[in-house]
């Protein structure tokens, strides 16, 4: 291998390794930034649904307290007039359902038995004290209670307020207002552009109906995109956990980011998971453009540095050596006395050594 090829190989390898290391560090930094951005964005997105639920819980409590303070409701509940209460409360329920997404208005008597389900008046009389902790707490503390709880109509955000008679001294029962979580999920999607779903633990449900059930016993409840979340459940990546989960789901040519947060009910039981799905295609496009830029800089830097290095080596070393070799072969005496074609000290030393060697050779040739 000639000297110039050897130097070209060594210099290219060294420059390439340095640029490769720098590129790897930049790619690792971009990957970390992408991961942080995904985490930050999906955290902010999931807060939209959580905030919507918190606001709905406050709204439910407000409605339940207003109903509990209504004189007509107090009178009908105290008198045990179910039909009159139904006639009075049904228009209010329909208005709340239309304007506030309310799906439950339920009256209970002082013994914690169902007195009137406004949406289903023929279904009453059940003892709620065995499976409705929120009703028990409101009955015991005489204070409004709010939170997530499973009932006859499934999971919803509920508020239960105590009802007193018109004198305000005798406790006569409680009133419950519940907000449909499907409406809240749709509202959160409209605000954020992401998809949301509530996945429930099968053990807490009496009847799953036609809902999709995964292999690990999770049931899809409210969802903004049913087919999407059925596919995610079918992939088996969703697990019940009290810590936050973050994973990716491939849908066609898109990589969706999925976050799972524990779903805690009023009693503190982890009854499922809140799923948030976002498509961060813009972030990934930025990352891909960064990779292309880094690769282009690597190739351009390698070519430019190698070209500059080799041009310098050829001008300062390779060409003067070749020129010296040619002159030595053509005329050793002239080569020894000619001016150096390189400014390098080492090359001038080499030419002087050649000159000294030629002088010594001439002196020896002149000896008898």
């Amino acid at each position: 291998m000639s000297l110039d090829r050897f130097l070209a190989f060594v210099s290219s390898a060294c420059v390439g390794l340095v640029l490769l290391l720098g590129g790897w560090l930049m790619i690792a930094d971009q990957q970390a930034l992408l991961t942080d951005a995904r985490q930050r964005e999906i955290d902010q997105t999931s807060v939209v649904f959580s905030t919507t639920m918190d606001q709905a819980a406050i709204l439910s409590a407000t409605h339940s307290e207003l109903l509990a303070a209504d004189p007509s409701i107090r009178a009908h509940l105290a008198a045990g007039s179910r039909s009159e209460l139904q006639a009075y409360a049904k228009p209010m329920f329909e208005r709340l359902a239309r304007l506030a997404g309310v799906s439950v208005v339920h009256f209970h008597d002082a013994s914690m038995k169902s007195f009137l389900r406004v949406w289903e008046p023929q279904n009453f009389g059940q003892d709620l004290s065995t499976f409705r902790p929120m009703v028990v707490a409101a009955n015991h503390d005489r204070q409004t209670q709010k939170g997530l709880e499973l009932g006859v109509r499934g999971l919803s955000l509920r508020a239960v307020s105590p009802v007193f008679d018109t004198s305000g001294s005798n406790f006569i029962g409680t009133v419950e207002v519940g907000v449909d979580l499907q409406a809240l999920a749709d509202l959160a999607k409209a605000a954020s552009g992401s998809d949301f779903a509530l996945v429930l633990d099968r053990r807490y449900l009496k009847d799953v109906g036609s809902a999709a059930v995964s292999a690990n016993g999770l049931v899809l409840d409210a969802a903004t995109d049913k087919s999407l979340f059925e596919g995610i459940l079918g992939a088996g990546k969703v697990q019940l956990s009290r810590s936050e989960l973050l994973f990716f789901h491939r849908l066609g040519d898109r990589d969706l980011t999925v976050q799972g947060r524990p779903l805690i009910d009023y009693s503190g039981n982890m009854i499922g998971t809140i799923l948030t799905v976002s498509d961060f295609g813009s972030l990934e496009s930025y990352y891909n453009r960064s990779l292309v830029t880094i690769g282009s800089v690597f190739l351009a830097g390698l070519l430019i540095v190698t070209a500059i290095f080799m041009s310098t080596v050829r001008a300062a070393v390779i060409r003067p050596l070749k020129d010296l070799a040619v002159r030595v072969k053509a005329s050793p005496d002239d080569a020894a006395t000619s001016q150096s074609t390189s400014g390098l000290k080492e090359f001038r030393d080499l030419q002087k050594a050649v000159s000294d060697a030629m002088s010594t050779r001439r002196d020896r040739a002149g000896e008898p």
Side-chain angles (χ1 to χ4, degrees), residues 178-199:
V179 178
D180 184 15
L181 291 173
Q182 180 63 54
L184 297 182
D186 292 337
L187 181 62
K189 179 176 182 177
S192 66
S194 298
D195 284 290
F196 302 91
L198 299 176
V199 179

Side-chain angles (χ1 to χ4, degrees), residues 219-239:
V219 181
L220 182 62
D221 191 59
T224 56
D225 189 332
K226 186 176 180 181
S227 60
L228 168 63
F229 286 101
E230 285 179 349
I232 293 174
L233 284 181
K237 295 181 179 180
V238 181
Q239 302 291 333

Side-chain angles (χ1 to χ4, degrees), residues 345-357:
K345 178 180 180 300
E346 289 78 7
F347 188 85
R348 292 197 301 270
D349 292 342
L350 174 62
Q351 190 165 9
K352 184 176 183 304
V354 172
S355 177
D356 292 343

Side-chain angles (χ1 to χ4, degrees), residues 157-277:
L157 269 171
R158 303 166 185 262
V160 181
S161 297
V163 182
F164 297 89
D165 63 9
T166 52
S167 67
S169 57
N170 297 318
F171 175 75
I172 58 175
T174 51
V175 58
E176 174 184 6
V177 174
V179 178
D180 184 15
L181 291 173
Q182 180 63 54
L184 297 182
D186 292 337
L187 181 62
K189 179 176 182 177
S192 66
S194 298
D195 284 290
F196 302 91
L198 299 176
V199 179
L200 304 180
D201 188 345
R202 174 69 178 83
R203 295 172 297 177
Y204 290 93
L205 301 175
K206 294 181 178 180
D207 182 20
V208 299
S210 60
V213 183
S214 68
N216 51 1
L218 298 178
V219 181
L220 182 62
D221 191 59
T224 56
D225 189 332
K226 186 176 180 181
S227 60
L228 168 63
F229 286 101
E230 285 179 349
I232 293 174
L233 284 181
K237 295 181 179 180
V238 181
Q239 302 291 333
L240 289 179
S241 173
R242 287 192 176 269
S243 60
E244 181 183 296
L245 299 176
L246 188 69
F247 58 91
F248 304 101
H249 178 71
R250 186 74 176 178
L251 182 65
D253 58 348
R254 297 187 298 161
D255 283 321
L256 303 178
T257 303
V258 185
Q259 183 192 72
R261 287 187 170 185
L263 182 63
I264 310 297
D265 71 354
Y266 171 80
S267 302
N269 300 314
M270 188 178 68
I271 60 174
T273 300
I274 304 174
L275 294 181
T276 304
V277 176

